[in-house]
Amino acid sequence: MNDTTTQVPESGPRYDFTAAEPKWQAAWAGRACFRVEDVPTDGKPKYYVLEMFPYPSGKIHMGHVRNYTLGDVVARYKRARGYSVMHPMGWDAFGLPAENAARERGIHPAKWTFDNIAAMRTELQRMGLSLEWEREFATCQPEYYCHQQKLFLDFLQAGLVERKESWVNWDPVDNTVLANEQVIDGKGWRSGAPVEKKQLSQWFFSITQYAPELLDALDHLDRWPERVRLMQANWIGRSEGAKVTFALAGSTETVEVYTTRPDTLFGMSFLAIAPEHPLAAAAVAHDAQAAEFVAECRSRGTSEVTIEAGEKLGYDTGLRVEHPFIEGATYPVWIANFVLMEYGTGAIFGCPAHDQRDLDFARKYGLDVTPVVLPPAADPASFSLGKDAYTGPGTAFNSGFLDGLDVDASKRAAIEKLESLGVGKGLTNWRLRDWGVSRQRYWGCPIPVIHCGACGTVPVPDDQLPVRLPEDVTFDRPGNPLDHHPTWKLVDCPSCGKPARRETDTFDTFVDSSWYFARYCSPKADVPLVKAAVDHWMPVDQYIGGIEHAILHLLYSRFFTRAMKDTGHVSVEEPFAGLFTQGMVNHESYRAPDNRWLYPEEIEKHADGSVTMRDTGQPVTVGRVEAMSKSRRNTIDPGAIIARYGADTARWFILSDNPPERDMEWTESGAAGAFRFTQRIYRLAEALDGIPAEIMPDAFGPAGRTLRRATHRCIAAVTESLENFTYNVAVARLYELANAITDGERATPEAGLAWARREAVEALARLSSPMMPHLAEEIYARLYPDSSHLVAELSWPEADRALLVSETVTIAVQVMGKLRGTIEVAPNAPADVVLAAAEADPNVAKALEGKRIVKRVHVPNRIVNFVVAG
RNA sequence: GCCCGCCUGGCGGAAUGGUAGACGCAGCGGACUUAAAAUCCGCAGUUGGAAACGACGUACCGGUUCGAGUCCGGUGGUGGGCACCA
C-alpha cells in the first residue's frame, strides 16, 4: 500500500494524536519531568543516556528518528526504574557544508547553521523525546569553543600536542588540505584538480602516546559491541618485532629497518626504502634517474588505481648494506614504491622466501630467493618456492646459529643476538598515527596560538580567550577566509609585543565532538568542566549511534578523555561505559522507464504487485532496498510521517520491525500497521469507559485468571527485552497482550474480569510508554482521570511472580527425538506421573508399539524423550 | 590478501541445547455494510492425505548429544572493517 491507499479514515481517528501529542509534551515540560541537577543531591543512582548529537543539516532524517527513539526508550525506562537520568541534546555545528552554503548561496555560515538548528529542534521536539533542553548547546558557539581552546592549551602544556611537518593531500585550486576521503582517483572532490603531496606544518594530538592503553582498555569495555572493539584494535594495530640497524658498506652511515620477522634475516636478499626516505633524497641529489623514479612514485602515490593493481616498482641505488650476522655479505639498497615512510622506519629488509610482497619484487627484478623456514615435513634439500611465499610455521634452516629453532624461538634468539651485537632490539610498533587536527577552513574552532618571528609559537593567554571567529569574512575566492581576512590574523605577540600572526587554521570538527559529552554535565560553567558534575555523571552509561563512527569519533573521544584526565579535568578514562550501534534505515528505490530516480510520492503500487508512475501510469522499476539518499530519491521525510500518523506511530514502527542493531527497511505498510495498533489499543482503553474502577476482587474466574497471567508475563517479558535492547521482541509481547485483552473482552462475563481487563490495559499503556509516551499518557489519564501523576513520573510495573507460573504445563513427548505428542500436567509433576501420562498418549503409544524402551529422559516442565530399541 | 560478522516461511523476524516459525507485514477466506473504508473472525513452511496423521524442513557436508537453528570441524554464499603496515 502507499500514500493514497492508506489514508486516515474520513471519520477521523478516535485517538486524536494531533491534539494529544502537543498536550503531553507541554505537560512534561511544565512539570520538568526530565530535569536533573549538575550535581544532584537526591541520592538516586545516576544514569547518563546519550545519542550521538546531530549535524544541523536542516532537516532530521529517519536515521535520527531511529537513533533518538532508541535513546529515549532507554531514558524513559531507566527513569521509571528509579534512576536519575541525564538525557541531553546539542549540535555538532561546525563543518564544511555551512561554508559550501556560503559559497553557493551567499548565506553566512552562522546564519545557515542557526536557522537549521531552529528547524531541527522543532522537529525533534515533535517526536516527544524526554530530553533536557536546558543543557542544549552548539559547538559553534564561543561559549563552547572557548573551553575547547582552553583544553587545547592545557594539552599543549602537558606535552600532548605538537606541531610537526607532515605530508598532506593538497588541492592546488582550492588551496586547501584534503582528507583522504576527499581525494577521488587522485583528484580533488570539488575542484577536480590533480592532488599534490605537500609537506605542511600542522598541529597534531599525540594520540600515539596512548596507543598501548587505548588498546588494552578495550578488553574492559564489556558493554561495547565486540565488532567495534575489534575494529579499534585493528586500527591501533599493535605489532611485535625488532628494529635492525644496517651499516652502509664503505661508509659510517646506517639504515634502520623495522621487521616482525627477525628470524628470517638469513634469507635477506635486498633492502628497500620508501621514496620519501632521507637516503632516497640523498640518492636523488646525484642521480637523475633516481630523481625521476621518486617523482613518479610521488605522482602515482595517491592514485587508488596504482594501489589496487599492487604493481611493485623499484630502483637500485647502487648502495649496499652489510648483513648484521654474516661477515662480509652485502645486499643492494632499492627505492621501492611499496615501502611506506609513515610506518616503522620507512625501510625494510627483503626476505622474498617468506614475504609475498618481497617475493613479487624479487621475481620482477631477478633478486635471490633463499628459504630459511622449513615447513613441517618438508625436505630441506628440495624445498623451494614458486609464486607463493611461505609464511606458515616451521623450523629455521640455512640460518647459521638459528638452525633448528621454531619460528618463535628463532625470533627471540635473533633479537637477543642483535641486542648483544648492539645493532638492534626488540620493538613494538603501532599502526595508529598521531591525529592531525589543522584544517584550512573558516567554519571551525580557531586554534588559539600566535606565531611570532622572535618567540616562535606562543599560546594565546587565558584572559584573551576565546579567540573568536570574525564575522565579516568573504567567500568569493578559494582558500581559507580567515587567511584572507584583512586584519584578523594581525596581532601583537603576547610574549614580546612585536607584530605577530595568528594561527589561521581551525580544528578538525572531530575535536568538537571529542568532549561534548562531558560538557553536558555542566553546560553553562565558565570553565570547561566542573569536576563535581563530571565526576557525578561520567562516564556515559549508554551511548547510542551509528556504526560509521566505530573508529574515529569513538577513538578520538577515548583519547580526549584520557588527555582531560591527565590535565586534571575529569577522573574517568573511558567516556562511554556502554555503547550501542544501531543499523541504518533503508528504503526501496524506484526508477522511471527513462531510468530517472523517482520519489516514493511519485509512484503507485497496485494489488497485483505492479508499480506505476502516479501521473503517467508508466511502469516503474523497483530497485534495491538501500540506504536513504537524496541522489536516489528514496528518502522518507520524518516530518511528513509525524504529521500524518503522529510521533508515537513513527517511534513504534521504527522499533518494531527488527533488532535495532540491524539495518531496517522503512515501509509504508509497516508504518500504517503501527498506526492501526495505536488506534487499537486506544479502543481497548475506551471499551472500559462505562466500567467503574473497583477494588481488586478476592478471586477470578477462568478468563480473568488467563488474562492476568498474560498481563504479568508480559510485564516480565517486556522488562527483560528492554534490558537486552531487543525492542522488536518487546513490541511483539505487547501485541500479544493486546490480543489477550481482546480475548478477555469477548469472554463470557464473570466476576472480576472487568478488573483484570483494567489491569491489563493499564499495563499495556505503561509498558509501551518508553516507546509510545503520548498514547500511554492519554490512556492512563482515561483510566484514572483523577490521577495526580503522569506516566512519565510513575515507577516501572512489577510482575506478580505467583502469576508467572501456569496452572498446567504442556510437555512435549518425543520418541527417539521426534515429537509424537504433547501432554498437559500440573507444574513440577513428579517424573513417574509425567512418564506414565506420556506413555498413555495414544499417538505416543502407537510409536512405542513393538519397541523396547531403553531410556526415559524427563526434563521437568519441558520434555519427555523415549529412547527405544527393536 | 588479513581480520570479523551473518545465512530460519512470500517478507521483517522469534526461539535459556528441549514442541522451529512467536509477533508483525503482505496474502487468502469469511462476518458486518446498499457499497466502500474502518473493524472483527478464521487460514496460512513444503509435501502426501477427505481427515486423523505422516514425510521433509533453520545454506551445504560431517561430528558431539537421549535431543542441535543453537555447540564443534569443514564447504559455499553474503555483508563489513583494514589493506603494499614489513
Side-chain angles (χ1 to χ4, degrees):
Chain A
M1 291 210 263
N2 60 42
D3 297 0
T4 47
T5 54
T6 309
Q7 287 294 354
V8 171
E10 288 299 315
S11 57
R14 293 203 242 183
Y15 167 51
D16 179 10
F17 65 84
T18 56
E21 292 187 348
K23 177 178 74 183
W24 296 114
Q25 286 162 17
W28 298 324
R31 300 178 64 148
C33 292
F34 315 130
R35 285 277 285 281
V36 289
E37 300 297 320
D38 288 2
V39 185
T41 51
D42 57 13
K44 284 189 187 178
K46 71 96 181 178
Y47 201 90
Y48 184 0
V49 187
L50 185 66
E51 301 96 57
M52 292 179 183
F53 66 167
Y55 178 79
S57 58
K59 271 181 162 256
I60 64 169
H61 54 66
M62 279 299 171
H64 292 130
V65 173
R66 197 174 196 193
N67 195 177
Y68 301 135
T69 300
L70 290 171
D72 204 43
V73 172
V74 176
R76 287 179 181 272
Y77 173 70
K78 287 292 177 183
R79 231 176 255 120
R81 293 309 299 241
Y83 288 90
S84 168
V85 172
M86 180 157 83
H87 189 207
M89 179 56 72
W91 310 95
D92 188 13
F94 275 134
L96 201 51
E99 271 185 70
N100 293 341
R103 287 182 203 277
E104 286 157 17
R105 283 176 276 160
I107 309 167
H108 192 278
K111 175 168 170 45
W112 184 86
T113 302
F114 284 108
D115 284 354
N116 286 348
I117 287 174
M120 288 176 72
R121 186 192 297 113
T122 303
E123 289 195 282
L124 287 182
Q125 286 174 340
R126 284 204 186 110
M127 283 182 63
L129 303 166
S130 66
L131 291 166
E132 189 184 3
W133 285 100
E134 288 76 10
R135 293 182 186 274
E136 175 190 6
F137 57 75
T139 56
C140 64
Q141 293 167 319
E143 295 77 18
Y144 180 79
Y145 70 68
C146 171
H147 303 297
Q148 186 162 307
Q149 292 172 343
K150 170 66 177 154
L151 289 174
F152 169 82
L153 294 173
D154 286 354
F155 291 1
L156 182 63
Q157 193 167 22
L160 299 171
V161 173
E162 63 180 314
R163 190 168 171 79
K164 57 186 178 186
E165 293 270 306
S166 83
W167 290 96
V168 296
N169 304 309
W170 181 257
D171 185 322
V173 172
D174 278 355
N175 286 320
T176 187
V177 170
L178 298 176
N180 285 334
E181 310 82 67
Q182 294 167 335
V183 181
I184 296 154
D185 287 338
K187 294 179 177 135
W189 67 309
R190 286 176 64 78
S191 69
V195 168
E196 296 170 3
K197 284 218 153 190
K198 187 171 167 180
Q199 269 210 315
L200 268 191
S201 208
Q202 307 232 83
W203 288 101
F204 284 83
F205 283 117
S206 303
I207 190 169
T208 51
Q209 283 186 34
Y210 292 90
E213 51 176 301
L214 286 170
L215 181 68
D216 293 344
L218 288 172
D219 290 341
H220 306 296
L221 293 174
D222 53 355
R223 290 204 298 120
W224 278 41
E226 184 58 30
R227 184 157 74 116
V228 174
R229 291 192 283 170
L230 256 161
M231 281 161 71
Q232 292 220 349
N234 290 339
W235 187 264
I236 295 167
R238 177 190 167 101
S239 100
E240 298 283 357
K243 195 159 80 174
V244 185
T245 307
F246 286 89
L248 280 172
S251 156
T252 55
E253 283 185 73
T254 59
V255 192
E256 288 198 328
V257 151
Y258 175 74
T259 179
T260 55
R261 295 298 300 273
D263 59 310
T264 63
L265 270 165
F266 283 94
M268 173 172 186
S269 71
F270 62 94
L271 189 141
I273 58 176
E276 298 87 3
H277 195 278
L279 206 56
V284 162
H286 58 77
D287 182 342
Q289 273 183 290
E292 205 175 297
F293 178 77
V294 169
E296 198 194 329
C297 289
R298 190 164 299 173
S299 70
R300 296 174 67 144
T302 51
S303 160
E304 286 172 27
V305 183
T306 314
I307 293 169
E308 284 297 316
E311 193 190 355
K312 309 271 181 293
L313 299 173
Y315 178 83
D316 187 350
T317 60
L319 297 168
R320 295 188 78 84
V321 289
E322 294 170 1
H323 196 281
F325 297 150
I326 310 170
E327 190 72 36
T330 65
Y331 302 88
V333 177
W334 288 66
I335 303 170
N337 68 337
F338 68 91
V339 180
L340 306 175
M341 194 59 218
E342 308 89 83
Y343 186 77
T345 61
I348 63 159
F349 85 83
C351 175
H354 305 293
D355 183 286
Q356 193 60 49
R357 289 156 312 183
D358 295 351
L359 185 62
D360 295 345
F361 191 76
R363 293 284 189 234
K364 176 159 183 175
Y365 292 105
L367 300 165
D368 292 342
V369 179
T370 311
V372 290
V373 178
L374 187 66
D379 174 15
S382 64
F383 178 66
S384 69
L385 292 128
K387 272 186 12 231
D388 297 322
Y390 181 73
T391 55
T395 314
F397 74 127
N398 297 334
S399 291
F401 67 95
L402 298 174
D403 281 355
L405 298 174
D406 67 38
V407 170
D408 284 340
S410 181
K411 280 180 183 172
R412 285 193 297 273
I415 290 170
E416 219 168 275
K417 185 80 168 182
L418 288 169
E419 286 175 354
S420 72
L421 294 172
V423 294
K425 59 175 185 176
L427 185 72
T428 302
N429 218 339
W430 303 88
R431 194 187 155 283
L432 185 67
R433 313 283 155 73
D434 278 337
W435 173 19
V437 294
S438 298
R439 298 290 182 271
Q440 293 70 43
R441 301 254 154 72
Y442 166 71
W443 196 234
C445 171
I447 299 175
V449 294
I450 289 162
H451 301 287
C452 171
C455 310
T457 303
V458 182
V460 173
D462 282 0
D463 61 8
Q464 292 175 29
L465 294 181
V467 176
R468 284 173 188 269
L469 286 172
E471 284 169 30
D472 54 336
V473 282
T474 55
F475 295 90
D476 51 356
R477 56 186 162 135
N480 182 355
L482 285 180
D483 204 31
H484 302 155
H485 192 280
T487 56
W488 184 75
K489 66 182 171 186
L490 306 176
V491 289
D492 293 337
C493 172
S495 174
C496 67
K498 289 192 201 127
R501 190 177 57 79
R502 247 188 222 299
E503 171 69 67
T504 57
D505 286 352
T506 51
F507 282 123
D508 178 4
T509 54
F510 273 113
V511 178
D512 311 337
S513 55
S514 290
W515 71 286
Y516 77 107
F517 44 85
R519 178 68 184 170
Y520 279 136
C521 302
S522 48
K524 312 286 184 220
D526 56 6
V527 292
L529 305 170
V530 172
K531 199 82 188 301
V534 283
D535 282 356
H536 178 81
W537 288 107
M538 288 295 291
V540 175
D541 294 279
Q542 188 63 59
Y543 196 39
I544 306 169
I547 187 73
E548 67 273 18
H549 293 112
I551 297 173
L552 294 185
H553 163 59
L554 292 170
L555 192 62
Y556 293 152
S557 298
R558 296 180 62 218
F559 156 73
F560 229 84
T561 304
R562 283 173 167 76
M564 290 192 293
K565 185 187 180 212
D566 289 349
T567 49
H569 292 282
V570 300
S571 303
V572 296
E573 288 182 334
E574 287 293 340
F576 313 121
L579 173 69
F580 189 88
T581 50
Q582 76 196 63
M584 286 189 304
V585 185
N586 297 337
H587 195 271
E588 279 181 336
S589 51
Y590 309 104
R591 278 184 189 261
D594 60 4
N595 234 14
R596 185 163 63 84
W597 295 104
L598 297 170
Y599 290 106
E601 302 82 60
E602 294 179 284
I603 64 111
E604 199 161 11
K605 290 190 174 183
H606 305 280
D608 62 359
S610 66
V611 183
T612 58
M613 285 176 70
R614 179 156 294 164
D615 48 355
T616 65
Q618 288 176 287
V620 168
T621 310
V622 177
R624 291 197 307 154
V625 174
E626 51 194 331
M628 290 189 186
S629 85
K630 278 181 195 153
S631 63
R632 280 187 291 268
R633 301 194 165 180
N634 63 338
T635 53
I636 298 292
D637 173 26
I641 296 294
I642 291 171
R644 184 190 303 145
Y645 293 126
D648 283 337
T649 293
R651 295 168 59 123
W652 185 252
F653 175 60
I654 215 152
L655 293 167
S656 67
D657 208 39
N658 63 0
E661 69 276 13
R662 279 190 225 174
D663 288 354
M664 69 171 287
E665 184 191 0
W666 182 274
T667 61
E668 289 299 310
S669 54
F675 178 76
R676 283 198 300 273
F677 186 66
T678 63
Q679 297 299 320
R680 182 175 163 212
I681 64 178
Y682 186 75
R683 277 195 306 275
L684 294 175
E686 220 177 25
L688 294 169
D689 273 358
I691 305 171
E694 48 191 31
I695 57 162
M696 184 176 169
D698 293 333
F700 292 89
R705 288 204 303 273
T706 301
L707 181 53
R708 292 205 69 213
R709 260 195 303 280
T711 300
H712 286 265
R713 276 196 187 152
C714 184
I715 294 172
V718 169
T719 304
E720 192 189 330
S721 289
L722 293 185
E723 292 282 352
N724 298 336
F725 264 97
T726 50
Y727 297 155
N728 54 322
V729 181
V731 165
R733 297 292 166 252
L734 288 163
Y735 271 105
E736 285 175 346
L737 180 56
N739 292 343
I741 295 170
T742 302
D743 291 345
E745 282 180 354
R746 263 151 239 255
T748 316
E750 61 186 34
L753 183 55
W755 192 93
R757 279 171 58 195
R758 182 173 284 273
E759 178 190 43
V761 171
E762 180 186 342
L764 182 59
R766 290 171 59 184
L767 294 173
S768 62
S769 69
M771 294 90 131
M772 298 196 282
H774 312 89
L775 181 57
E777 297 287 2
E778 192 72 18
I779 290 175
Y780 189 78
R782 196 172 188 100
L783 292 177
Y784 300 104
D786 303 326
S787 171
S788 58
H789 289 291
L790 300 172
V791 175
E793 298 165 330
L794 297 176
S795 61
W796 193 246
E798 293 281 347
D800 181 343
R801 302 214 65 84
L803 287 168
L804 299 180
V805 183
S806 315
E807 290 176 359
T808 63
V809 292
T810 308
I811 290 185
V813 184
Q814 298 178 339
V815 177
M816 295 299 279
K818 275 190 186 297
L819 183 71
R820 295 299 171 189
T822 57
I823 52 171
E824 293 282 322
V825 297
N828 304 316
D832 54 338
V833 172
V834 174
L835 289 168
E839 279 181 67
D841 181 90
N843 213 39
V844 174
K846 204 172 91 188
L848 291 173
E849 211 169 56
K851 307 266 170 53
R852 184 167 54 87
I853 298 175
V854 201
K855 188 173 178 186
R856 295 173 171 83
V857 179
H858 173 232
V859 181
N861 301 328
R862 285 200 178 272
I863 206 158
V864 167
N865 189 15
F866 295 108
V867 184
V868 296

